[in-house]
Every structure is written in structure tokens, then in C-alpha cells.
């Protein structure tokens, strides 16, 4: 059998004999299989291995597992930890259902029988767990298929989501006075494995896992006089999740504070904490902040998915002209590049994308941030800590003595930080930072206001980029429409620009949680510090005059970039107006 698989990999996948010999040698040293080593060394992909196993064992390989076939009854009968450990999941297919991605090794499509039980596995040679699973679900007759680990884990998690109690049912299970025993959990416990019977624990787990599923960035728990609300922020907009009885407020907040290792007895002072949790195959970093209000503690949980990959520059939403310009700017040997915009406009994400593009072994990159949102291999990152007087200014002063090529300062907040950043740029470093201003021209005024001399700004500043985030239309439900003249006038679109293009408006479907939008994209303006602007800054630093001068040099504003995305069918007129109104 082993020889047959190696032959299949050689003949059908194209693995060379030298790669096979090297993999066999490594496999003996590491007590692994040859195919495992081939996948680890990326000689073949997991999909290619499963296709070879499909030919060897004549078991169909399904590239996609049908979401509609996942059954909650299996989730009730089988421990989720067992399924994830052995990478297998039982599903059920109806009569005449044919998988579009199934093949039996010979390329033939495979149709399932009437109400047939199917078990998807990643390793067809793992017989004992397969027999145990068949006993647990009381099925001796089933069809076996192969699937990738990612697809199997997704099906397992979907089964959990379909089986979990609704928020309303969990709330009904709770005692009205909220007197519950709060039990601690392990730091990085998987919420899908936490099957505690305590309703308050199940409710907190449900709130966090559903927030992750909805791609929420924040969870708000807001107390009022006779009620309290739980809300999610998805794509920058807050939505109500549920309004539990006022009586469980104290228990719910106490449970979250226990998870975040905060002082549950202290309810008069603001507190900060963090929770590391796993939700299926995702690692979620939850930052918790509490403040006392007149009607109890208000809690905000900021969710950061550490399993998500960093964006590339091309993923940010820059058009080809601006992308080329930004790539040229970030390759500068020295100077300051500022990213401006209000809180939540994606400035940090843009900076991380820039650092990822610059990151290479021959460049020394050091950052000082508050907080460190993503950890990047090959980059030294410093966390601001006011308790020990590790501020942006103090950290930056030490960084410049570490022989850096590129420096990232999370935010310029005061004169001292700005002054050191300017001096660093003038002495041969490339410095990136952020400012809280409405547009790129206002950044100059802001720097002068905090005490930086205009001649230092004109000497050190290379460019200022302003950005906002607009919600992207859901491709499944967006609807074409003809905007009226007033709508076009409000945003500044000349009716002649529409021509043969289609303008869309938001619809609403299950994929986008009935919002009409799914995901966000940046709109940008980049103000280059050309010689005319530098000369103007030495004479005046009024934002309006700077903006007027920039416009004379083919400067494209945030609104104009947003208009282009409306005409390209990416977002709506309402979204662009929402984020660009002064």
C-alpha cells in the first residue's frame, strides 16, 4: 500500500524521485510518514495528498463539504473535542444530492443515497476513531469521503453553531436575581469545549463566539436604569444583539471580569484586562475595559483575531495610481510619512501592511505601539507602559540608539514625541506614525500647534495620507438603482460621469446579517510634500491654503476616491457621505 501511494504521488502528482528519497529519509529520522514530510516541506499540498489517497483507496475526495448537510443531532451525540482531535465529521445527505466537488479518484461525480450518512475524514488509515464515531452516532452503514482539515473543522464549528442554545433560551434559564456561582476557566480555553451547565457561563461563551462569527470588532454591554443591552460593532456600525433581564447584569459582568482576571469586588474604578480564548481553530485576543456608570459597570470587549493574516498593500483599497505612489514613498531612505484619520479608520492596519511589505532580513525595523495588535516575525515591537513611564517619547528616544532603518511610532500625541520623530527623520531614519486629524492638510496645522517649527516640518515630512473605511456592498444581495439628481449633487457626481456604469444600493441577506454590506475597504488621499507645498508651509500653515495648493497639483481627495468606488460598484453613495462629511 505504501509503495502504491508513493507511485501515485510520483506518477499523478509529479513528485520527483529525489524529493521522495529525501522525504523517506527525513520520515525515518522524525518517526513520521513520507507523505507527512512531503506536505510539511510543501513539496505537495494537502489537497494533492488527498487526491492521491482518493486514487489509492478509491474513496471520494470532496474539496467542499456541503453546509446544508450538517446535522445538529450529531453534535449532541459526539464530543466536539473528539471530532477535532481526529479530524473527522459526520454529515447527512438527502436523496439525489450530488456534490459539485466530489470525485471518486477516476473523475466520476458521486451521488449520495436517500438520507445517507457520510463521514468525512482527513486520514483514511485512522480506523479505530472511525469505528468509535460510527458507534457514537449509531450508524453501521455510512459512506466515507476525504476532506481537508480546514473543511472538516469548518463543518464541526458550523454544527456547534447550529446546536448551541439561542441567546433568548439561555437568558430564560437564568435566575432572576442573578445569584450565580462564577467559576474560572483556563486562560486559553476553547469556548466550543466549555460545556459548563451554568447558564451565565454559557451566555458569555455564546456572546463571544457569536461576535466572532459575525466578524464583530467590539462587544458593548451597556447598563441602563431598568435594563441593559448587549450590542456588536460590525463593519463600524453598532447592532443590538439582545436585552437580557436587568437582574443578571451583575452576574454577566462578574463572569467577564473573572475571565479577564480583573478585580470583581472593585466596581467604582475603571479597569482593563484581557482574555485569550480559542473558538474552533481561531485564536481570539479579547481586550476588556470597564467603567462605572450611574446604573452599573459598562463593559466593552475589543476582539482581535490573531489567526487572521496581515493585509497586503494591494488589499487596502488603493487604486493602481495611489498604490504605485505609496510603494515609492515607503522605499524612501529617510523622512516621515504620516497616516491620519479618526479612531477606527484603519490607520494601524495600513501601517502593518506597510511594515509587512518592508520587512526583510537586511532592514532593522523597530516599533513602539499602544497596543501591539499583531506580532510580526522579524520586527522588534515595544509596548507602551505608562505605569513604568515607558511613553512614546521615552521609547522612541531609546529606539534611535538601536541602529534602526525604519521606525514606527504608534501615535504622535505630544511635542516631545513629535520632536524626536522629526530629529530621527533628519538623521537618516524612515519614520511612520499616525495623527488624529480629519484630512491630510490638517496634519501640518496639528504639528505646528504642538510646537514643531515649520522649517523642520518641510525638511522632514515626505507625505501625509488620510483614510476612512467604507463598507463594501454584499455581492450576494446588492441591487442596481438610478440615483436622483439631488443624491448625485450631494456627493458631487456629475451625471455625465455615470455613463454606462451601474450604481448599486444595499440589499440584505443571511450572508451579510441583513445589513447589505460585508467587509470594509479604505478610501484614501495622499498629499505629497512637493516643493510648492514646502515653500507654503514656511510662510503659512493654514489647512485651507495648504489644501488649495495641493489641489492645484492633481491632488485627489477622500470624497473623490469614494466616488470612484461608488462608480465601480464597490460601495454606496450613503457610505461615502457618511464617512466624508465634515
Amino acid at each position: 500500500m505504501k509503495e502504491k501511494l508513493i507511485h501515485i504521488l510520483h506518477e499523478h502528482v509529479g513528485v520527483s524521485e529525489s524529493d521522495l528519497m529525501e522525504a523517506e529519509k527525513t520520515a525515518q529520522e522524525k518517526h513520521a510518514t513520507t507523505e507527512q514530510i512531503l506536505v510539511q516541506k510543501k513539496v505537495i499540498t494537502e489537497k494533492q495528498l488527498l487526491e492521491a489517497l482518493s486514487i489509492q483507496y478509491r474513496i471520494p475526495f470532496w474539496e467542499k463539504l456541503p453546509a446544508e448537510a450538517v446535522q445538529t443531532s450529531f453534535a449532541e451525540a459526539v464530543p466536539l473535542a473528539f471530532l477535532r482531535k481526529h479530524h473527522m465529521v459526520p454529515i447527512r445527505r438527502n436523496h439525489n444530492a450530488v456534490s459539485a466537488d466530489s470525485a471518486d479518484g477516476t473523475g466520476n461525480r458521486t451521488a449520495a443515497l436517500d438520507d445517507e450518512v457520510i463521514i468525512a475524514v482527513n486520514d483514511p488509515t485512522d480506523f479505530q476513531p472511525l469505528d468509535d464515531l460510527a458507534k457514537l452516532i449509531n450508524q453501521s452503514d455510512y459512506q466515507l469521503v476525504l476532506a481537508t482539515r480546514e473543511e472538516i473543522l469548518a463543518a464541526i464549528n458550523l454544527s456547534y453553531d447550529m446546536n448551541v442554545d439561542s441567546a433568548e433560551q439561555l437568558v430564560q434559564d437564568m435566575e432572576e436575581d442573578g445569584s450565580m456561582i462564577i467559576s474560572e476557566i483556563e486562560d486559553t480555553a476553547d469556548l466550543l469545549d466549555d460545556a459548563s451547565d451554568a447558564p451565565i457561563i454559557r451566555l458569555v461563551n455564546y456572546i463571544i463566539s457569536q461576535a466572532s462569527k459575525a466578524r464583530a470588532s467590539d462587544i458593548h454591554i451597556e447598563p441602563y436604569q431598568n435594563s441593559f443591552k448587549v450590542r456588536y460593532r460590525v463593519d463600524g456600525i453598532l447592532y443590538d444583539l439582545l436585552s437580557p433581564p436587568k437582574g443578571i447584569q451583575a452576574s454577566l459582568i462578574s463572569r467577564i471580569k473573572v475571565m479577564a482576571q480583573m478585580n470583581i469586588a472593585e466596581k467604582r474604578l475603571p479597569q482593563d484586562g484581557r482574555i485569550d480564548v480559542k473558538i474552533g481553530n481561531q485564536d481570539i485576543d479579547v481586550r476588556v475595559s470597564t467603567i462605572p456608570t450611574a446604573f452599573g459597570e459598562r463593559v466593552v470587549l475589543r476582539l482581535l483575531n490573531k489567526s487572521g493574516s496581515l493585509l497586503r498593500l494591494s488589499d487596502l483599497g488603493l487604486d493602481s495610481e495611489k498604490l504605485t505612489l505609496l510603494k515609492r514613498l515607503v522605499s524612501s531612505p529617510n523622512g516621515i510619512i504620516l497616516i491620519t484619520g479618526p479612531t477606527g479608520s484603519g490607520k494601524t492596519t495600513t501601517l502593518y501592511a506597510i511594515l509587512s511589505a518592508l520587512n526583510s532580513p537586511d532592514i532593522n525595523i523597530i516599533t513602539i505601539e499602544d497596543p501591539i495588535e499583531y506580532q510580526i516575525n522579524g520586527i522588534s515591537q515595544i509596548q507602551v507602559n505608562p505605569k513604568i513611564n515607558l511613553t512614546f517619547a521615552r521609547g522612541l528616544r531609546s529606539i534611535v540608539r538601536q541602529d534602526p532603518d525604519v521606525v514606527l511610532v504608534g501615535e504622535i500625541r505630544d511635542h516631545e514625541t513629535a520632536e524626536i520623530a522629526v530629529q530621527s527623520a533628519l538623521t537618516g531614519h524612515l519614520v511612520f506614525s499616525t495623527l488624529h486629524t480629519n484630512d491630510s492638510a490638517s496634519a501640518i496645522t496639528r504639528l505646528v500647534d504642538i510646537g514643531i517649527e515649520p522649517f523642520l516640518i518641510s525638511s522632514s515630512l515626505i507625505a501625509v495620507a488620510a483614510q476612512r473605511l467604507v463598507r463594501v456592498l454584499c455581492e450576494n444581495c446588492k441591487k442596481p438603482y438610478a440615483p436622483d439628481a439631488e443624491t448625485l449633487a450631494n456627493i458631487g457626481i456629475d451625471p455625465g460621469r455615470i455613463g454606462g456604469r451601474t450604481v448599486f444600493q444595499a440589499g440584505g441577506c443571511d450572508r451579510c446579517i441583513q445589513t447589505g454590506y460585508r467587509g470594509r475597504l479604505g478610501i484614501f488621499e495622499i498629499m505629497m510634500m512637493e516643493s510648492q507645498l514646502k515653500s507654503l508651509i514656511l510662510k503659512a500653515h493654514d489647512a485651507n491654503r495648504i489644501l488649495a495648493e495641493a489641489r492645484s497639483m492633481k491632488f485627489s481627495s477622500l470624497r473623490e476616491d469614494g466616488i470612484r468606488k461608488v462608480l465601480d460598484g464597490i460601495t454606496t453613495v450613503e457610505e461615502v457621505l457618511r464617512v466624508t462629511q465634515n
Side-chain angles (χ1 to χ4, degrees), residues 474-504:
C474 175
E475 289 293 334
N476 190 52
C477 63
K478 67 180 184 180
K479 300 180 292 185
Y481 86 117
D484 55 38
E486 184 180 354
T487 301
L488 294 176
N490 283 339
I491 195 173
I493 298 178
D494 184 342
R497 287 185 66 181
I498 295 181
R501 299 189 181 189
T502 305
V503 177
F504 293 89

Side-chain angles (χ1 to χ4, degrees), residues 567-581:
L567 297 177
D568 289 340
I570 296 171
T571 190
T572 61
V573 171
E574 293 77 13
E575 267 299 287
V576 175
L577 286 173
R578 179 178 69 86
V579 302
T580 60
Q581 292 279 23

Side-chain angles (χ1 to χ4, degrees), residues 27 36 93 125 213 306 334 470 475 525 544 556:
Q36 286 174 341
R93 296 296 302 273
T125 64
K213 181 183 176 183
K306 294 188 289 188
N334 54 62
V470 293
E475 289 293 334
E525 64 180 30
N544 292 325
S556 174

Side-chain angles (χ1 to χ4, degrees), residues 31-271:
H31 304 289
T33 64
T34 304
E35 54 269 26
Q36 286 174 341
I37 299 300
L38 288 170
V39 173
Q40 286 175 13
K41 292 191 172 184
K42 299 183 179 179
V43 176
I44 60 172
T45 64
E46 182 187 10
K47 179 184 171 184
Q48 288 173 322
L49 173 61
L50 290 171
E51 287 171 342
L53 289 169
S54 174
I55 296 171
Q56 181 185 15
Y57 292 105
R58 297 187 176 276
I59 299 172
F61 166 56
W62 286 9
E63 193 170 340
K64 292 287 182 184
L65 294 179
E68 68 276 4
V70 174
Q71 297 290 314
T72 59
S73 57
F74 295 142
E76 295 169 357
V78 186
L80 291 167
F82 174 85
L83 295 177
R84 286 211 307 277
K85 179 182 178 182
H86 297 291
H87 294 97
M88 54 181 63
V89 62
I91 58 179
R92 191 185 297 276
R93 296 296 302 273
N94 294 324
H95 182 56
N96 292 331
V98 180
S99 171
D101 294 304
S102 63
D104 60 3
T106 61
N108 298 324
R109 299 297 181 191
T110 306
L113 301 176
D114 185 22
D115 206 26
E116 181 183 20
V117 172
I118 294 169
I119 299 179
V121 299
N122 186 255
D123 182 0
T125 64
D126 205 1
F127 303 115
Q128 187 60 52
L130 186 59
D131 291 341
D132 293 341
L133 177 59
K135 290 176 184 176
L136 285 169
I137 62 175
N138 196 25
Q139 293 286 338
S140 58
D141 187 19
Y142 57 84
Q143 179 185 346
L144 201 63
V145 300
L146 299 175
T148 63
R149 291 189 174 202
E150 184 179 356
E151 276 297 304
I152 291 172
L153 288 172
I156 293 169
N157 294 343
L158 178 60
S159 174
Y160 169 82
D161 283 337
M162 293 168 62
N163 187 56
V164 73
D165 291 338
S166 69
E168 290 76 11
Q169 183 62 48
L170 290 168
V171 169
Q172 289 174 13
D173 290 343
M174 300 185 191
E175 300 174 10
E176 289 297 323
D177 63 356
S179 56
M180 300 265 174
I181 297 174
I182 309 298
S183 62
E184 295 189 31
I185 65 169
E186 294 179 4
D187 285 347
T188 54
D190 189 334
L191 295 190
L192 302 189
D193 283 340
D194 192 354
S196 172
D197 289 331
I200 196 71
I201 294 176
R202 288 158 55 207
L203 178 60
V204 172
N205 291 354
Y206 175 87
I207 288 171
I208 297 175
S209 61
Q210 289 301 107
S212 175
K213 181 183 176 183
R215 302 174 293 104
S217 59
D218 301 87
I219 304 170
H220 289 235
I221 298 171
E222 305 169 352
Y224 301 102
Q225 186 169 5
N226 298 313
S227 64
F228 81 109
K229 280 186 177 181
V230 179
R231 301 202 287 170
Y232 289 166
R233 186 179 295 280
V234 181
D235 293 334
I237 306 295
L238 278 170
Y239 299 96
D240 288 350
L241 173 66
L242 71 156
S243 297
K246 181 73 172 176
I248 69 168
Q249 175 183 313
S251 296
L252 182 72
I253 293 171
S254 292
R255 171 61 183 165
I256 292 169
K257 290 173 74 173
V258 165
M259 293 173 73
Q261 298 182 351
M262 298 160 74
N263 184 357
I264 63 171
E266 180 55 77
K267 301 178 181 179
R268 303 163 300 171
L269 295 172
Q271 292 188 64

Side-chain angles (χ1 to χ4, degrees), residues 327-345:
K327 286 181 176 177
R328 180 163 61 85
L329 286 171
V330 302
S331 61
S332 302
N334 54 62
I336 298 178
I337 298 174
L338 294 176
I339 310 291
T340 73
T343 301
S345 60

Side-chain angles (χ1 to χ4, degrees), residues 329 332 334-340 412 418 421-426 429-435 440-448 452-465 527-531 533-534 537 546:
L329 286 171
S332 302
N334 54 62
I336 298 178
I337 298 174
L338 294 176
I339 310 291
T340 73
I412 291 178
V422 167
Q423 293 299 332
S424 301
L426 292 174
H429 303 97
L430 182 59
V431 180
F432 296 97
S433 192
T434 67
L435 272 179
S440 51
S442 301
I444 310 297
T445 309
R446 174 69 177 144
L447 287 174
V448 173
I452 303 301
E453 293 291 342
F455 75 90
L456 291 174
I457 298 173
S458 64
S459 301
S460 60
L461 193 62
I462 301 173
V464 183
M527 187 177 73
M528 292 285 294
M529 295 303 296
E530 304 286 3
S531 56
L533 273 179
K534 291 184 177 183
I537 291 169
I546 293 169

